[in-house]
Amino acid sequence: MTEPVLRMRSVRKTFGGSVVLRDVDLDVAPHTVTALIGASGSGKSTLLRCANLLEEIDDGAIWLDGAEITDPRTDADAVRRRIGIVFQAYNLFPHLTVLDNITLAPRRVHGVARKAAEEQARGLLERLGLGAKADEYPDRLSGGQQQRAAIVRALAVRPRLLLLDEITAALDPELVGEVLDVVRGLKGEGMTMVLATHEMSFAREVADQVCFLEGGVVLEHGSPEAVFGDPRQERTRRFLRRIVEAGRL
Ligand SMILES: Nc1ncnc2c1ncn2[C@@H]1O[C@H](COP(=O)(O)OP(=O)(O)OP(=O)(O)O)[C@@H](O)[C@H]1O
Ligand SMILES: [Mg+2]
């Protein structure tokens, strides 16, 4: 069996005494997409933040490419350089152009020369349909364009794993499609991704593995066909029924 890019075992996370992740196990195989679904507050963002060491876990362990990253001796910055993360609110630096936003980490953190960093950034922007926006400031871009620029920024450090947290949630419906297209493209290129999403039909289409979270527990995981088509848990059925009733599947 190929080694998972990301492996979580018995991960437990509490905030001020309340358990937010409970005994979470997760394996993410190379070049696959894992979708985290579940109600608001079920722990999806926390799971992603723990995987990226933005949150310290209380118990359990996490491995990246077979190396334990929750080992206290781990260099957390080095791990974060290998795991890209994009948040719901795109968080581009408003005082930097798109190009400078993207080249900041490669230049400052990875020591890439300006010229090389800019060439790579322009190539990525071109691919994501933002070639003309390199020298604009973020507030001159639409929400969808800003979100795509944020994805380019995460890709600029050539991450091993990309975590995407509700990257379409803040977008107008007509802009959602262009961002999802980018994710489809990255999947086609073999990028390993874990995404938290409320876009069920997208999760169904793009994911190799779907994990349904409830109350910090991965209640059910499997192929999209299994989880969406024939869920084993009554609570997964109930969640999906509500989604269908809301016209979102
Ligand atoms: N920094 C924090 N301090 C205290 N509690 C937190 C913190 N971050 C998250 N929580 C709590 O952890 C639980 C899980 O939150 P999380 O953001 O992971 O949910 P989610 O599944 O991403 O929800 P949503 O779909 O709304 O984004 C919630 O009850 C939340 O209030
Ligand atoms: Mg969230």
Side-chain angles (χ1 to χ4, degrees):
M1 204 192 101
T2 47
E3 183 151 58
V5 173
L6 180 72
R7 161 167 286 182
M8 301 175 104
R9 283 294 175 274
S10 307
V11 168
R12 179 184 171 84
K13 174 68 189 168
T14 60
F15 284 116
S18 61
V19 183
V20 174
L21 294 179
R22 198 183 297 264
D23 247 336
V24 167
D25 292 346
L26 180 69
D27 281 317
V28 176
H31 316 300
T32 64
V33 176
T34 296
L36 308 177
I37 64 168
S40 181
S42 57
K44 304 178 298 294
S45 296
T46 305
L47 192 159
L48 294 176
R49 293 172 59 82
C50 288
N52 196 33
L53 304 182
L54 289 169
E55 299 286 354
E56 197 175 331
I57 63 174
D58 294 85
D59 205 357
I62 305 175
W63 293 261
L64 182 65
D65 284 328
E68 192 191 336
I69 59 174
T70 40
D71 185 304
R73 289 164 298 184
T74 300
D75 177 355
D77 290 330
V79 169
R80 283 189 217 110
R81 271 177 239 143
R82 297 171 60 208
I83 304 179
I85 188 162
V86 181
F87 301 102
Q88 171 178 344
Y90 5 93
N91 294 318
L92 294 169
F93 298 114
H95 60 291
L96 296 179
T97 64
V98 167
L99 193 68
D100 288 341
N101 262 283
I102 294 164
T103 55
L104 188 67
R107 291 177 55 206
R108 293 282 169 79
V109 184
H110 296 255
V112 179
R114 176 194 282 267
K115 191 159 176 286
E118 290 188 349
E119 266 170 28
Q120 193 218 0
R122 286 185 192 277
L124 281 170
L125 284 168
E126 204 64 56
R127 259 178 40 207
L128 270 66
L130 290 172
K133 302 292 182 188
D135 302 308
E136 292 281 14
Y137 286 89
D139 66 358
R140 301 274 305 263
L141 270 56
S142 73
Q145 290 168 341
Q146 288 185 45
Q147 193 59 286
R148 280 185 282 152
I151 295 172
V152 171
R153 186 173 62 174
L155 291 173
V157 297
R158 304 175 193 272
R160 174 71 173 134
L161 173 68
L162 191 57
L163 309 175
L164 304 171
D165 192 1
E166 307 277 8
I167 54 168
T168 58
L171 299 178
D172 290 338
E174 66 269 25
L175 297 178
V176 169
E178 64 181 60
V179 172
L180 296 184
D181 275 342
V182 168
V183 178
R184 284 189 191 97
L186 292 174
K187 179 183 162 93
E189 291 165 23
M191 175 61 74
T192 308
M193 292 179 274
V194 183
L195 48 102
T197 186
H198 289 288
E199 304 277 343
M200 296 301 149
S201 50
F202 179 67
R204 189 173 193 155
E205 170 209 318
V206 81
D208 300 288
Q209 166 175 245
V210 176
C211 298
F212 172 63
L213 276 82
E214 193 186 79
V217 176
V218 179
L219 263 192
E220 180 154 1
H221 70 95
S223 68
E225 295 74 31
V227 175
F228 288 112
D230 187 21
R232 279 173 297 163
Q233 302 283 340
E234 175 52 32
R235 283 184 290 190
T236 316
R237 290 174 192 274
R238 213 180 305 149
F239 171 77
L240 291 172
R241 216 156 37 225
R242 281 202 304 270
I243 298 276
V244 170
E245 280 162 13
R248 285 163 58 206
L249 187 65

